[in-house]
Structures are given as C-alpha cells and as structure tokens.
Amino acid sequence: MANQAERTNTFKVMNEYLNASVYVKLKGGEGVKGVLKSFDQHLNLVLENAEELTERGSRSLGTVLVRGDSIVAISPVK
Amino acid sequence: MANQAERTNTFKVMNEYLNASVYVKLKGGEGVKGVLKSFDQHLNLVLENAEELTERGSRSLGTVLVRGDSIVAISPVK
Amino acid sequence: MANQAERTNTFKVMNEYLNASVYVKLKGGEGVKGVLKSFDQHLNLVLENAEELTERGSRSLGTVLVRGDSIVAISPVK
Amino acid sequence: MANQAERTNTFKVMNEYLNASVYVKLKGGEGVKGVLKSFDQHLNLVLENAEELTERGSRSLGTVLVRGDSIVAISPVK
Amino acid sequence: MANQAERTNTFKVMNEYLNASVYVKLKGGEGVKGVLKSFDQHLNLVLENAEELTERGSRSLGTVLVRGDSIVAISPVK
Amino acid sequence: MANQAERTNTFKVMNEYLNASVYVKLKGGEGVKGVLKSFDQHLNLVLENAEELTERGSRSLGTVLVRGDSIVAISPVK
Amino acid sequence: MANQAERTNTFKVMNEYLNASVYVKLKGGEGVKGVLKSFDQHLNLVLENAEELTERGSRSLGTVLVRGDSIVAISPVK
C-alpha cells in the first residue's frame, strides 16, 4: 500500500492547479478546459470560463461542474 | 485529500444553479436542458421544462429525474 | 453537500409519478414506457402495461421490473 | 427516499414471477427466457429451461444462473 | 427483499455445477467452457480443461480463473 | 453463498501460478503474458518479462502492474 | 485470499517506479508516458513531463494527474 506520504501528494498537485487553467481529459475522448475553482475527494471539480473540446469543435460552457467519475486525467494548460 | 473548504465548494455551485436553466451533459454524448429544481449528493437531479438534446434533434420531457451516475457535467445555460 | 431539503426533493418527484405513465430512458439509447407502480432507493422500479421502445419499434412487456443501474432519466408521459 | 412501502414492493413483483416464464433483458441488447426458480437481493437469478435470445437466433441453455449486474429488465412471458 | 430462502438458492445451483462442465457467457459476447472446480461469493470461478470460445474460434486454456465481474451467465454444458 | 471451502480455493489457483508464466485476458480483447510475481485480493497483479498482445502485434513491457479491474481471466501459458 | 506477503508486493513495484519513467496503459487503448512522482491506494498517480500517446500522435501534457479508475497497466519505460 502506498505509504501515507505518497497518498497525500497525489492530491497536492490539484491544490497547485487551483485558480490555474487546466485541461480535463474525459472518458470517451472529449475534454474540457477552464480555470479550476474547486475539487473534492471524488475529483468532482468546478471550472470557470470553461470550454468543451470535442471532435465537432469547441463550445463555451461558462462555469461547469464536472463529475470525477467521468475524468481520465487533469493537466495544466501552458 | 482536498481540504474541507474545497470539498463543500464543489456543490456550492449547484446551489447557485437552483431555479436556473442548466445544460446536463450525459455519458454517451446526449444532453438534457431544463430548470434545476433539486439535486442530491449523488448528483441525481430534477429538471423542470426539460428538453432532451440528441443527434436526432430535441424532445420536450417536462419534469425529469436524471440519475447522477449518467451525468458527465452540468453548466448554466446563458 | 446538498442540504437535506434538496436531498429529499429529488425523490419527491418519483412519488408524484406513482400510478402515472412515465418514460424511462435507458443507457444505450433504448426506453421503456409504462405506469409506475413502485420504486426503491436504487431507482429499481416496476411499471405496469409497459412497452419497450427501441429503434426496431415497440414491444409490449406487461409488468416489468427495471434495474435502476440501467436508467438514465425518468419523465412523465404527457 | 422511497418510503419503506414502495421499497419492498419493487421486489414483490419478483415473487409473483417465481415458477413463471420470464424474459430477462440483458445489457448489450441480448436476452434470456426461462422459468424463474430463484433470485437474490442483487437480482442474481436462476432460470430453468432457459433459452438465450440473440441476433444470431436462440440457443437452449437448460438451467442458467444470470448475474444481476448484467440485467436491464425482467418481465413475464405471456 | 428476496426472502432468505430464495437468497441461498441462487448459489445452490452453482454447487450442483461443481465438477461438471459449464459454459460461462462473458460480457462482450465471448465465452469460456470448462469443468467448474471452485467459485466464490463474487462468482470468481476456476475452470479446468477450459476452452475460450470467440468469433475467431476456440483456444485451449487449461486451468483458468475467471473474474466474476466479467460474467453474464453460467449454464451446464449438455 | 459459496461455503468457505470453495471461497478460498478460487485464489488457491493463483498461488499455484506464482513464478509461472500466465496469460491475462483483458477487457476489450487485448492480453498480457508474463511471469506472475505477486497479486492481491483485487487481482491487481505484477508480471515480469511481460509482453502486451494486441491485434497490432506484441510489445515487450518488462515488469508490469496490471489492475484487477481490467482483468477478465488468468490462465497458465503451456 | 492472497496472503499478506503477496498483498503488499503488488504495490512494492510502484515504489520502485517512483521518479522513473513509466508507461500507463489507459482503458480505451490510449496511453500516457511520464516520470512517476506519486500514487495512492486507488492508483491515482501524478506524472511529470508527461506525454499523451494516442492514434492521432503524441501531445505534451507537463504534470498530469491520472485517475486510477482509467488505468489498465503500468510498466517502466526502458
């Protein structure tokens, strides 16, 4: 079992993303980009100025709540 | 682990959507639009004057209960 | 976390549907229509005079037990 | 939350199906038909004289244990 | 809720299959055939002299552990 | 419910596979082959000298940790 | 049940991958490559200098949090 040190680090990176622009890769190949405003232990998260990115193009969403269950990966937008 | 502050914020945004028109992105690419009347900790939610949005067009649903398990994201309709 | 008030409301709407005709949208795009006779906290539900609605057409099912796990949304049939 | 009355009703219908011929709709569009001999709280169930119904035709299975997790709906065969 | 009597019966049939040849229908349409040597409450099971049956043909596996989570149904091979 | 005897047997076979070459059938049709070095109660497992087997051919992986949740079946390589 | 010795070994290999370059095979056939910085008991993990590898080519991600639920396998990059 991961020792407690690693355990907390996994979410530490999310704190570093707070108020930064992130790209959220969703199951099924789509994505959402926006400023991370909050998240919880299930990786449910809230993005502001969010944009939905799909094969059909992008669409502005404003503030969006994304369910952690649909998320594959989260990375900062450079 | 997200500290308690972020934890509650994730759902705070849902309270802000109450009685407002929201777009609910569903797994599988479909969506539902309507006025958010209630939700619970599983993100099961009730929409009034709801409309189902699919590739085949849209369909009026009236009041609809949507299971949180099928939801990818929720955002306000501008 | 949704305060207790919203929590209970989510299912209150199901009580309003009891003995009324509802449309149950299933994962995978199919649906079932019928008179809602009972449901439980997992949204397993029983419909009478039910009809299965698929791309291949509709099929009468009589009384049917539908597993909540397969349900996307439930709305009244007008 | 569904009050206790509805809660129990959902499974009451299964008791009515015991020793009757039922159609079990499976995830993925296939189905199984047979005489319901037993079931449990996960809707794992045992059918006798069962027949698998797929797009490729039907196949006799004899006595079959079907995992509840794969079940979408259960209805009596008229 | 299924009364205790039905509850235990669901697995009783598995005891009857022990040391008999069974067909295990897997999610996704494939199957495995073999002699049932053991199973547990998650329907993880061990088959001897097993054969994998797919659209591409069959392949001998020897002794195989099959995860219950991937199983749709289990029936005796006549 | 499977009596305790069968319960433990299901994993006994995994102990017999330790340090032997096994084929791990994954959800989605792919597979991994390698020497089983360890496993846990979720069937997360570690293989050495592992090889990924897909329709596009095979690829050497070295030591690999495979999540139990993605596993359909495990069998010895003859 | 895997005895305690095997249980801990399964994650021991992850400690050996810390600060090394790993390839993470994702459900759905895509992958991510990067330096493993942390992981937890759900195999949520953080990679630095990460690269997303898909059929459409590769894309630099920087630091990425990958949800364990989307992971099939993890292996060192040689």
Side-chain angles (χ1 to χ4, degrees), chain A residues 27-61:
Chain A
K27 291 179 182 174
E30 296 184 347
V32 184
K33 201 169 62 168
V35 177
L36 179 66
K37 297 308 293 181
S38 72
F39 63 92
D40 66 24
Q41 77 269 38
H42 305 297
L43 282 187
N44 297 313
L45 45 87
V46 174
L47 303 177
E48 277 183 6
N49 309 321
E51 226 182 315
E52 182 186 45
L53 309 170
T54 70
E55 284 171 359
R56 296 182 302 279
S58 79
R59 192 163 68 95
S60 159
L61 296 176

Side-chain angles (χ1 to χ4, degrees), chain C residues 1 10 12-13 19 22-23 25 28-31 35 37 42-43 54 56 58-59 70-71 75-77:
Chain C
M1 182 76 77
T10 311
K12 203 184 74 177
V13 76
N19 298 309
V22 293
Y23 172 74
K25 182 180 171 66
E30 298 184 347
V35 177
K37 298 307 292 180
H42 306 296
L43 283 187
T54 70
R56 296 182 302 280
S58 81
R59 194 162 68 95
S70 298
I71 295 175
S75 52
V77 171

Side-chain angles (χ1 to χ4, degrees), chain C residues 10-50:
Chain C
T10 311
F11 280 83
K12 203 184 74 177
V13 76
M14 288 295 285
N15 286 314
E16 291 162 25
Y17 294 162
L18 273 175
N19 298 309
S21 187
V22 293
Y23 172 74
V24 179
K25 182 180 171 66
L26 298 173
K27 292 179 182 175
E30 298 184 347
V32 184
K33 200 169 65 167
V35 177
L36 179 66
K37 298 307 292 180
S38 71
F39 63 92
D40 65 24
Q41 76 269 37
H42 306 296
L43 283 187
N44 297 314
L45 44 87
V46 175
L47 304 177
E48 278 184 6
N49 310 322

